[in-house]
Amino acid sequence: MQEQLERIKAAAVQALKESEALQALEDVRIKYLGKKGELTAVLRGMGALSAEERPKIGQLANNVRASIEDLIEAKKKALMEKEQAARLAGERLDVTVPGTRRALASRHPLKQLEREVCDIFIGMGFSIAEGPDIESEYYNFEALNLPPDHPARDTQDTFYITENVLLRTQTSSVQIHVMENQKPPFKMVSPGRVYRSDALDATHSPVFHQMEGLVVDKGITMGDLKGTLEAFLKKLYGEDVRVRFRPHHFPFTEPSAEVDISCFVCGGEGCRICKGEGWIEILGAGMVHPKVLRGCGIDPEIYSGFAFGVGLERIAMRRYGIDDIRLFLENDVRFLKQF
């Protein structure tokens, strides 16, 4: 039996030397030390030994078991260290290697233009005012001198939420909020989305962007309006641009005007962009109607003012030669990357 124990030990040592994985170590342990292992089988046969041999063989069996267990533990530790080293080598990062460049989004062309226009007016002493997209009929129409029978108040042209609540059709409503809550003098512009019940096509959209402006002070005249808009348009389109005012009618201004600029493509000669006219309509403007001032608690005998409104899509389309307003809404990266 002593020789059998020595053979078991030698076989276990050889098996452990050849084991290169943790599962292989477990298989060796079960084969030699498990409940049905070879060493356990020998120990079960000790009952047949004499009283003199039993202690000697028992001590030898315990030594063989302890030796195999120590070898298993040492081999297990070595394999775990080797496995960890391999894993660390595989996960190692070279911090000196340049990282993967992430694509960064850019500001939408309409927002770029809105910021540029705001910067121009801020440079002329204007402040920025904002108002709600959902308005009452009073702020969107009545306070702006638009009577109940005005076509703009028809449900075919305006998105009504309830009988008296709607999606604003113009940012002019912000002017009413400003005049009600601030005392003149003030100069402000109000950029934002507006909504009209138009079918989406190349030149119309049910959602678009406007920029309204308002100045109220003592002694404001049409000359101030012309000077302000000429300074704005020259800054936007260049010093060579010419500005033309044509009589028009808006319920909330009197007198009113449509404002044109000389075509920035052909310089007024006539081309496809200006449809051969040499001029491009760019915005509407006028002196604030006395009725509008009076409705906001401002005495038109003391104060006067001017207002103007421009569509940002219109400016962008004419500046960049874009002939379809839907391009601003489709989020096509190929289009947006140009800006």
Side-chain angles (χ1 to χ4, degrees):
M1 188 171 283
Q2 182 175 350
E3 293 178 358
Q4 190 178 2
L5 289 172
E6 293 294 342
R7 285 197 303 272
I8 290 173
K9 179 179 179 180
V13 169
Q14 183 62 34
L16 289 172
K17 287 180 179 179
E18 296 173 356
S19 299
E20 295 298 331
L22 294 175
Q23 184 58 49
L25 287 183
E26 181 63 12
D27 293 341
V28 171
R29 186 192 69 77
I30 293 173
K31 180 178 181 179
Y32 294 103
L33 304 181
K35 291 182 179 181
K36 296 180 181 180
E38 294 183 15
L39 183 59
T40 303
V42 171
L43 293 176
R44 286 174 179 167
M46 288 180 62
L49 299 175
S50 63
E52 291 80 9
E53 291 178 316
R54 198 175 297 146
K56 186 185 298 183
I57 297 301
Q59 183 177 2
L60 179 60
N62 287 334
N63 290 340
V64 170
R65 173 181 287 278
S67 179
I68 294 173
E69 288 177 343
D70 289 344
L71 289 172
I72 289 175
E73 190 63 31
K75 185 73 173 183
K76 182 179 180 180
K77 182 178 180 181
L79 287 177
M80 290 181 68
E81 289 177 351
K82 182 179 179 181
E83 188 177 282
Q84 183 181 33
R87 187 169 64 251
L88 290 174
E91 296 175 354
R92 183 174 61 189
L93 297 176
D94 185 351
V95 296
T96 65
V97 174
T100 302
R101 185 177 295 276
R102 297 176 65 90
L104 298 178
S106 60
R107 191 171 283 109
H108 191 278
L110 288 177
K111 286 298 178 182
Q112 292 182 35
L113 181 62
E114 179 183 299
R115 173 168 289 195
E116 181 182 349
V117 172
C118 285
D119 286 344
I120 292 173
F121 281 108
I122 288 173
M124 291 192 287
F126 284 69
S127 61
I128 308 298
E130 296 182 342
D133 287 19
I134 298 176
E135 275 289 9
S136 68
E137 200 172 44
Y138 171 78
Y139 283 101
N140 198 80
F141 293 129
E142 293 176 17
L144 290 165
N145 199 31
L146 287 162
D149 59 349
H150 195 279
R153 298 178 73 157
D154 192 281
T155 55
Q156 298 298 314
D157 293 298
T158 300
F159 292 108
Y160 276 86
I161 298 173
T162 67
E163 185 177 349
N164 297 309
V165 177
L166 48 87
L167 297 179
R168 66 183 180 185
T169 62
Q170 54 198 356
T171 52
S172 302
S173 57
V174 182
Q175 299 177 11
I176 304 301
H177 288 289
V178 170
M179 287 191 284
E180 284 185 346
N181 293 285
Q182 296 184 31
K183 293 182 178 181
F186 45 74
K187 300 163 66 175
M188 52 74 67
V189 288
S190 55
R193 287 188 300 269
V194 296
Y195 310 84
R196 295 183 187 176
S197 186
D198 290 329
L200 183 63
D201 59 28
T203 57
H204 297 85
S205 171
V207 182
F208 56 101
H209 296 75
Q210 276 190 344
M211 172 80 77
E212 299 277 346
L214 174 70
V215 173
V216 176
D217 200 349
K218 294 178 181 179
I220 297 296
T221 68
M222 196 73 175
D224 297 307
L225 170 61
K226 290 189 65 177
T228 299
L229 292 181
E230 286 181 359
F232 160 61
L233 294 170
K234 287 181 180 294
K235 184 69 175 179
L236 190 64
Y237 289 106
E239 289 296 324
D240 294 334
V241 72
R242 289 174 290 127
V243 181
R244 180 178 73 175
F245 286 71
R246 291 180 290 108
H248 196 70
H249 169 71
F250 298 112
F252 35 85
T253 55
E254 180 60 39
S256 305
E258 288 279 11
V259 182
D260 305 331
I261 60 170
S262 55
C263 180
F264 45 82
V265 174
C266 66
E269 297 293 328
C271 66
R272 179 181 63 86
I273 299 297
C274 63
K275 299 179 180 179
E277 296 180 0
W279 295 93
I280 295 176
E281 179 188 325
I282 202 70
L283 57 85
M287 302 300 293
V288 181
H289 199 292
K291 187 175 180 180
V292 174
L293 291 174
R294 191 177 293 109
C296 295
I298 298 174
D299 188 347
E301 298 296 327
I302 300 176
Y303 294 99
S304 58
F306 65 77
F308 57 88
V310 58
L312 294 180
E313 280 86 352
R314 177 179 294 181
I315 293 179
M317 291 174 72
R318 288 171 174 170
R319 168 184 272 195
Y320 302 120
I322 298 168
D323 58 6
D324 195 326
I325 197 173
R326 290 171 291 193
L327 291 170
F328 292 118
L329 308 173
E330 293 173 347
N331 292 326
D332 189 325
V333 175
R334 294 170 300 176
F335 170 75
L336 298 176
K337 284 175 68 175
Q338 300 177 68
F339 305 94

